[in-house]
Amino acid sequence: MSDEDWQKTACILCGVNCGIEVKLDGRHIARVRGNREHVASHGYACEKAQRLDYYQNGKDRLTSPLRRRPDGSFEEVSWETAIREVAERFVHVRDTYGGASIFYYGGGGQGNHLCGSYGASTRRALGSVFSSNALAQEKTGEFWVDHMLFGTGLSGSYQHAEVAVFVGKNPWQSHGFQRARPILREIAADPNRALIVIDPRRTETAEMADYHLRVRPGTDAFCLSAILGVFVQEDLINHDFIRARSQNSDEPFAALTDVPVADYCGRAGVTEASVRDVARRIARASSVSIYEDLGIEQSLHSTLNSYLEKLLFAVTGNIGKPGAMNAGTSLTGMFGGALSSAASPVGGHRIIGGMIPANVIPDEILTDHPKRFRAMLIESENPAHSVADSTRMREALRALEFVVVIDVAMTESAREAHYVLPASSQYEKWEATFFGAAFDTATQYANTFTLRAPILDPIPGTLPEGEIHRRLVRAIGAMTDDDVAPLHAAAAKGRAAYANELMRVVSERPHLAEVMTVLLYETLGPTLGAGNENAASVWGIAHNFARRYPESLRRAGFSGEGAELGDALFDAILKNRSGVVISIDPYAETWRRIHERTINLTIPELIPELKSLREEHPSCDPEFPFVLSAGQRRSSTANTIIRDPQWRPKDPAGALYMNPADASALGVQSGGRVRIITKRASAESVVVLTDTMLPGHVALPNGTGLWYPDREGQEFQYGVAPNELTVTEDRDWFAGTPFHKHVPARIEAVA
Ligand SMILES: Nc1nc2c(c(=O)[nH]1)N[C@H]1C(S)=C(S)[C@@H](COP(=O)(O)OP(=O)(O)OC[C@H]3O[C@@H](n4cnc5c(=O)[nH]c(N)nc54)[C@H](O)[C@@H]3O)O[C@H]1N2
Ligand SMILES: Nc1nc2c(c(=O)[nH]1)N[C@H]1C(S)=C(S)[C@@H](COP(=O)(O)OP(=O)(O)OC[C@H]3O[C@@H](n4cnc5c(=O)[nH]c(N)nc54)[C@H](O)[C@@H]3O)O[C@H]1N2
Ligand code: SF4
Ligand SMILES: [Mo]
């Protein structure tokens, strides 16, 4: 193999999607290295990328559409049959109960969001109204708080921050921003900078930290309030900033003036001195960036925690400057509408950013309410595994009249479906993430986008999602030969003619706007070359981006008037395998994206909860004396993207982490077995002893407990599936976020 054999693509195992180069050996991804030319990751990749072949060549990859037989087993059917029957059955559900009874769960995982762009056409063609995905069990509370305070999402700049704070986040393992490990090392090594971690566990990140507030699980609301209380009581607030840039500060400041700091520190299990040190370090920093993640989102007071976390940087003026929190560009406007007043059809649960809380999905199905969901389309997510209470989620799926799963592998959700449609893998088609990959300098910040080209032919029998949805929309009857004929003709004349004709056709036939992405796939797609059609929806996305952010795009070096600007962006994206800088903004731009250029400090809905903390004393049920964090990110977890347990050869089952003091009280050794009992169920696990865990706190990894064939093809479940142990009602009262990191449990030694 020569040097030319290296092909540029990206890792899809977590949301940062590092640029990588791979060498193939036949159909195997044989070697992997970071792509130094990549605009955002600059050659960085973690050890997980070395194991991508376990994804690409999983033994349970799907190679044919499957249809469930009356006896429950599956039979292979042709694509023609599958598409026709799936369309007919969805149309039947729609005609009987209305399109709103068809629920969509999906849109992509850590690296494949084009499927969601195409899925949107099928949803609209069916008149489906409600949808959700994994973000509705982690980030919706945060989105809502961001939109209340700022009218936009803000993100940190860890590379340039003087002080970086991680709250319930372990970036050493979970990343979440580009080049996380070298950046953490740089901060830790610099005496003028500081790393602050708030986490009950002495994580790899906490080991490097200058300050580690080792809170008791579930007490962050007290800890964060105490830090904010110190800000107000020691007068560490940035008053000039508050006067110039904010409104409605009276209520939260009044509440914080009253915070009994020492008392709250006691409830959180941290010393008052350490909390005061942290508050002072944050307040005197020239720039602070803060990352909140699952440790506080999937635990008690989830949405309130997000509010308090954002007040930490807001009241110290860490917005709209280098090293602090800034509002970037978004390719999809994905999280717009966070504040809509929509509610779920049965339970009236708050819909944030268009997503129904994942924890209430079974309640929206397992009822005789006339508006209950009757059918579900699941795409690139595995809710039978990843949503709380797997038993109940399976029961809900079985109660539906019709379930279709689009996936690359035979997942726990696919097992519950009536039809399973096999997608080509993320290395067999054009794909991309919309999470964005930012970087920044002293004077400006930027966003990038990376479109991946296929490095392998699709496995026979599979199709890219664009083609699957194009066929479905055709079969549903929402796009006809008549609709597409003028566009095919125009596309042959070039992009400009095509754009004009598209406008004309859609204004004449407005229903086509609903299925825009498959219309692009079918009519613009072929002009991109055979096998490249799946990139077509990016054209529309590039044009929308150019309309929303023309100045940012020009600063990134793009030129042209009107539609030319969007085309220039699309061409660059299509051509470039190492990512494209799509926007550059001076820091002041953040204020133009913040509503009325002013932050609003009061969230009326959350003030009563903030005040009521006073009356709350953390306690535990003697029947369940442990707190189980069900789903910890480790060096060998990647959600359920890799299903083969052998990808973590050292720990194929995924052990329970436990403090040695707890183990000796129970009489178990490292490598021994325990039974974990929750109010829902119980499961057996291997234990690993580690004093990185606090006594009373145990943790299981995420992504374990999947069914997978052994060498003889016999299927086994490896490790504990965390959501067999969780319940749907343990969730945030406001956003519905599950308390996966805070599951009351009892542990017993297994003889
Ligand atoms: N290696 C790896 N990386 C991943 C993923 C993966 O599967 N594997 N998944 C990706 C995805 S989808 C996501 S959302 C992110 C999640 O990334 P993280 O949120 O960083 O992941 P977790 O390990 O689930 O939880 C973070 C931390 O919360 C802590 N925690 C538990 N209880 C509490 C508490 O009460 N308070 C506080 N303050 N902390 C607590 C845990 O000890 C843990 O260190 O990771 C992404 N990156
Ligand atoms: N108890 C507990 N539960 C949790 C969590 C936790 O910490 N604890 N974490 C939560 C979080 S933060 C998240 S993000 C979710 C993650 O859980 P899910 O949202 O269910 O997503 P993944 O496990 O990432 O599953 C991705 C699916 O996409 C499929 N796939 C891969 N490539 C392709 C492709 O090209 N096309 C298609 N169509 N499919 C493809 C994979 O086979 C897999 O089935 O889990 C949540 N659930
Ligand atoms: S797992 Fe995440 S951090 Fe590691 S190489 Fe892949 S994308 Fe990069
Ligand atoms: Mo996630």
Side-chain angles (χ1 to χ4, degrees):
M1 282 190 277
S2 76
D3 234 34
E4 278 92 80
D5 296 331
W6 290 98
Q7 302 198 54
K8 291 183 171 61
T9 178
C11 173
I12 49 95
L13 295 178
C14 85
V16 307
N17 282 224
C18 299
I20 55 171
E21 297 179 292
V22 304
K23 263 191 191 181
L24 298 176
D25 180 0
R27 288 194 62 89
H28 285 278
I29 298 178
R31 293 183 62 194
V32 178
R33 68 183 185 196
N35 172 7
R36 292 211 193 133
E37 288 164 26
H38 192 271
V39 289
S41 60
H42 303 293
Y44 178 81
C46 81
E47 69 284 357
K48 291 191 292 300
Q50 299 298 331
R51 317 215 128 228
L52 277 167
D53 197 51
Y54 286 92
Y55 161 75
Q56 172 58 31
N57 288 301
K59 270 192 270 186
D60 55 359
R61 284 276 314 264
L62 298 161
T63 54
S64 163
L66 302 175
R67 177 174 65 193
R68 186 178 289 283
R69 293 194 190 96
D71 70 1
S73 62
F74 283 109
E75 62 189 331
E76 296 190 353
V77 292
S78 70
W79 272 105
E80 289 67 32
T81 306
I83 294 286
R84 189 184 64 248
E85 294 181 2
V86 165
E88 273 170 14
R89 290 192 57 180
F90 272 133
V91 166
H92 175 75
V93 173
R94 176 192 70 190
D95 292 347
T96 314
Y97 309 107
S101 71
I102 302 172
F103 181 55
Y104 178 82
Y105 192 84
Q110 299 295 300
N112 58 319
H113 296 147
L114 293 186
C115 66
S117 75
Y118 293 114
S121 288
T122 298
R123 279 157 67 190
R124 295 195 189 115
L126 288 169
S128 161
V129 178
F130 298 102
S131 69
S132 198
N133 62 50
L135 291 168
Q137 50 176 331
E138 43 175 334
K139 300 285 171 219
T140 38
E142 181 182 30
F143 292 160
W144 186 82
V145 167
D146 267 329
H147 279 259
M148 288 296 284
L149 295 175
F150 315 119
T152 177
L154 300 183
S155 51
S157 162
Y158 304 93
Q159 193 177 351
H160 293 281
E162 180 186 321
V163 170
V165 188
F166 298 101
V167 194
K169 166 86 193 163
N170 180 14
W172 185 268
Q173 295 300 7
S174 67
H175 291 80
F177 54 95
Q178 300 292 321
R179 300 176 53 250
R181 290 175 185 170
I183 288 176
L184 291 172
R185 275 200 217 99
E186 274 167 36
I187 305 174
D190 187 338
N192 298 315
R193 301 172 72 192
L195 187 60
I196 298 174
V197 171
I198 305 181
D199 196 308
R201 177 166 179 252
R202 204 174 68 242
T203 59
E204 295 79 354
T205 313
E207 301 259 12
M208 310 169 75
D210 300 276
Y211 304 84
H212 177 199
L213 295 180
R214 206 170 178 190
V215 287
R216 237 179 245 137
T219 62
D220 295 85
F222 295 99
C223 180
L224 297 169
S225 298
I227 300 172
L228 290 163
V230 174
F231 284 166
V232 175
Q233 295 162 24
E234 292 191 12
D235 198 22
L236 302 173
I237 302 287
N238 184 337
H239 293 289
D240 290 343
F241 178 88
I242 295 294
R243 252 192 310 277
R245 295 295 194 183
S246 78
Q247 55 184 8
N248 303 327
S249 60
D250 294 353
E251 254 196 289
F253 283 174
L256 296 171
T257 307
D258 288 344
V259 163
V261 173
D263 180 7
Y264 276 23
C265 290
R267 295 190 216 177
V270 288
T271 65
E272 182 183 349
S274 62
V275 165
R276 288 192 187 273
D277 284 349
V278 162
R280 291 169 194 154
R281 186 65 189 92
I282 292 174
R284 74 164 181 272
S286 60
S287 62
V288 180
S289 282
I290 309 188
Y291 202 128
E292 65 157 79
D293 217 339
L294 303 184
I296 61 166
E297 290 165 355
Q298 295 184 339
S299 189
L300 313 180
H301 297 295
S302 171
T303 308
L304 176 63
N305 290 338
S306 297
Y307 180 30
L308 299 173
E309 177 266 326
K310 284 173 209 319
L311 288 179
L312 289 182
F313 62 77
V315 303
T316 50
N318 282 295
I319 295 173
K321 63 181 187 181
M325 306 297 290
N326 287 285
T329 55
S330 160
L331 265 157
T332 51
M334 183 148 69
F335 312 128
L339 300 184
S340 91
S341 59
S344 69
V346 172
H349 300 285
R350 186 174 283 105
I351 292 178
I352 300 176
M355 292 169 269
I356 287 188
N359 274 48
V360 309
I361 294 169
D363 295 342
E364 300 283 319
I365 297 169
L366 295 170
T367 159
D368 52 15
H369 193 289
K371 289 194 176 155
R372 68 184 181 273
F373 295 137
R374 313 282 180 149
M376 211 164 148
L377 175 56
I378 299 170
E379 177 167 46
S380 195
E381 305 226 22
N382 187 6
H385 167 90
S386 61
V387 169
D389 196 342
S390 305
T391 305
R392 191 135 184 281
M393 189 64 215
R394 281 191 296 266
E395 200 187 315
L397 290 171
R398 288 172 194 166
L400 290 167
E401 287 184 24
F402 192 49
V403 179
V404 176
V405 167
I406 303 175
D407 205 297
V408 297
M410 194 62 199
T411 66
E412 289 62 32
S413 303
R415 284 157 198 272
E416 305 300 331
H418 296 96
Y419 287 77
V420 184
L421 304 180
S424 308
S425 86
Q426 299 189 42
Y427 295 104
E428 299 166 351
K429 67 193 172 207
W430 291 81
E431 253 297 2
T433 174
F434 294 144
F435 286 139
F439 71 84
D440 41 73
T441 69
T443 55
Q444 49 196 19
Y445 61 107
N447 193 7
T448 69
F449 181 69
T450 307
L451 183 63
R452 283 178 272 125
I455 57 172
L456 284 159
D457 292 334
I459 292 192
T462 67
L463 292 174
E465 284 86 349
E467 180 63 20
I468 297 175
H469 289 292
R470 184 193 72 82
R471 293 187 190 186
L472 283 172
V473 168
R474 282 287 211 150
I476 291 162
M479 183 170 78
T480 62
D481 286 343
D482 212 31
D483 292 330
V484 298
L487 289 167
H488 277 303
K493 295 191 198 122
R495 212 71 67 62
Y498 177 81
N500 285 332
E501 186 63 2
L502 184 65
M503 273 208 298
R504 191 192 65 76
V505 170
V506 173
S507 70
E508 242 171 47
R509 305 173 182 212
H511 69 274
L512 290 177
E514 304 287 303
V515 296
M516 180 58 84
T517 51
V518 296
L519 188 63
L520 291 175
Y521 182 99
E522 171 145 350
T523 58
L524 181 71
T527 68
L528 306 176
N532 300 341
E533 297 86 347
N534 213 45
S537 70
V538 177
W539 183 80
I541 290 161
H543 279 278
N544 287 335
F545 186 86
R547 271 193 294 276
R548 269 203 313 279
Y549 307 107
E551 298 311 319
S552 306
L553 200 47
R554 292 212 161 86
R555 282 191 289 262
F558 292 91
S559 55
E561 293 307 315
E564 287 165 12
L565 194 59
D567 266 321
L569 174 60
F570 179 63
D571 286 334
I573 288 173
L574 204 56
K575 200 171 70 201
N576 207 313
R577 298 284 71 78
S578 296
V580 176
V581 177
I582 58 170
S583 66
I584 291 184
D585 295 311
Y587 287 96
E589 191 69 18
T590 289
W591 290 106
R592 295 185 43 192
R593 297 193 179 130
I594 287 179
H595 44 41
E596 294 164 29
R597 300 176 190 235
T598 305
I599 59 180
N600 157 51
L601 288 173
T602 298
I603 301 187
E605 289 84 345
L606 299 177
I607 298 284
E609 188 182 351
L610 173 59
K611 290 184 177 161
S612 73
L613 287 176
R614 280 219 173 217
E615 272 64 64
E616 184 183 315
H617 291 269
S619 62
C620 84
D621 179 345
E623 204 192 330
F624 299 110
F626 281 88
V627 172
L628 165 69
S629 284
Q632 184 184 61
R633 270 65 186 166
R634 296 182 186 168
S635 163
S636 52
T637 73
N639 292 356
T640 64
I641 303 166
I642 297 182
R643 298 181 55 81
D644 184 344
Q646 290 311 320
W647 92 286
R648 39 173 186 269
K650 288 198 200 115
D651 183 21
L656 180 81
Y657 285 175
M658 179 186 269
N659 184 282
D662 288 332
S664 67
L666 291 169
V668 285
Q669 317 276 319
S670 223
R673 293 187 74 78
V674 292
R675 175 156 292 280
I676 309 162
I677 303 137
T678 67
K679 67 176 164 185
R680 183 70 181 104
S682 76
E684 255 188 60
S685 175
V686 173
V687 192
V688 162
L689 303 189
T690 161
D691 68 358
T692 62
M693 298 301 293
L694 276 178
H697 187 202
V698 288
L700 283 171
N702 69 321
T704 43
L706 305 177
W707 290 91
Y708 198 75
D710 70 1
R711 239 178 256 151
E712 279 73 50
Q714 175 119 17
E715 302 224 308
F716 285 99
Q717 196 182 17
Y718 295 83
V720 180
N723 287 310
E724 298 291 348
L725 296 170
T726 57
V727 293
T728 54
E729 65 270 23
D730 286 353
R731 60 175 190 254
D732 185 56
W733 70 277
F734 189 85
T737 320
F739 296 154
H740 290 321
K741 300 285 136 64
H742 200 87
V743 183
R746 185 167 71 246
I747 315 274
E748 293 167 359
V750 172

